[in-house]
Amino acid sequence: MSQRAIIEYPDPRLREPCAAVTAFDASLEELVNDLFDTLATGSAIGLSAPQIGELQQVLVVHVPDDDYGPRCYINPEILSTAGYGIVEESCVSVPGVVGNVIRHPQVDVRAWDVHGEPFEMRLEGMHAVCLQHEMDHLEGKLFIDRLSWFRRLRIRRAARRRAAEVA
């Protein structure tokens, strides 16, 4: 178990769709533990495997003080949704950017736990919103893709400038 470095936009790995997990073994358990360790060191409430360079359908969510507690979702699939709401989001992979996006405040999800046991849950509130955000990562999408084209253009330009300064 260890903290891992967060990949930041515009790294192309964030745009790659992730493969489904087929082996529920010790390496998967290590990945999940690394995700929780990395999540615990920051201010985020969710983290997905591609954000630490692992292109697998694995994500973790821990919204402090909610009824769900820290949860791991492997190969998650949204079965149904209810409602729409505008939510202010940010992302550790897109530092310094905050934007309003439309999300469902309630979702029914099917996923597997780290031991390969399937489960279904109804999620509400911030946990449901966070799950949707992290599931976007598994498809190679970022929350900024849900913003206006002009806002995305400004974010892209700023990210390129930052990348050029680092190089």
Side-chain angles (χ1 to χ4, degrees):
M1 296 188 304
S2 64
Q3 178 185 353
R4 306 260 297 263
I6 302 287
I7 294 172
E8 293 184 1
Y9 178 77
D11 190 303
R13 292 174 288 180
L14 292 171
R15 295 304 192 173
E16 294 290 323
C18 294
V21 172
T22 57
F24 292 82
D25 56 14
S27 66
L28 176 64
E29 192 167 342
E30 182 179 343
L31 172 59
V32 169
N33 288 334
D34 287 355
L35 283 166
F36 275 120
D37 287 350
T38 304
L39 182 63
T41 62
S43 59
I45 58 173
L47 193 64
S48 63
Q51 292 178 277
I52 61 170
E54 302 288 340
L55 298 178
Q56 298 182 61
Q57 291 185 18
V58 180
L59 64 90
V60 297
V61 176
H62 184 198
V63 178
D65 301 322
D66 78 3
D67 294 335
Y68 306 103
R71 304 275 320 179
C72 170
Y73 301 87
I74 299 170
N75 300 334
E77 173 188 3
I78 292 179
L79 303 173
S80 65
T81 61
Y84 291 93
I86 297 174
V87 181
E88 184 178 83
E89 289 190 14
S90 61
C91 181
V92 294
S93 289
V94 190
V97 178
V98 177
N100 292 326
V101 299
I102 297 172
R103 297 283 187 192
H104 303 285
Q106 179 181 305
V107 298
D108 291 333
V109 62
R110 175 187 307 133
W112 282 256
D113 68 17
V114 72
H115 306 292
E117 294 297 321
F119 64 91
E120 292 184 11
M121 290 183 71
R122 172 162 289 160
L123 302 172
E124 296 180 346
M126 190 53 67
H127 202 103
V129 168
C130 185
L131 177 83
Q132 293 166 77
H133 175 108
E134 299 308 328
M135 284 182 68
D136 277 355
H137 280 294
L138 303 181
E139 297 177 11
K141 298 176 184 172
L142 300 171
F143 89 96
I144 59 175
D145 299 336
R146 297 177 179 275
L147 302 176
S148 73
W149 68 270
F150 182 70
R151 183 86 192 277
R152 288 191 313 266
L153 178 64
R154 291 178 52 207
I155 292 166
R156 250 191 313 262
R157 286 181 178 165
R160 286 186 187 130
R161 279 194 302 273
R162 244 188 352 266
E165 291 171 1
V166 172

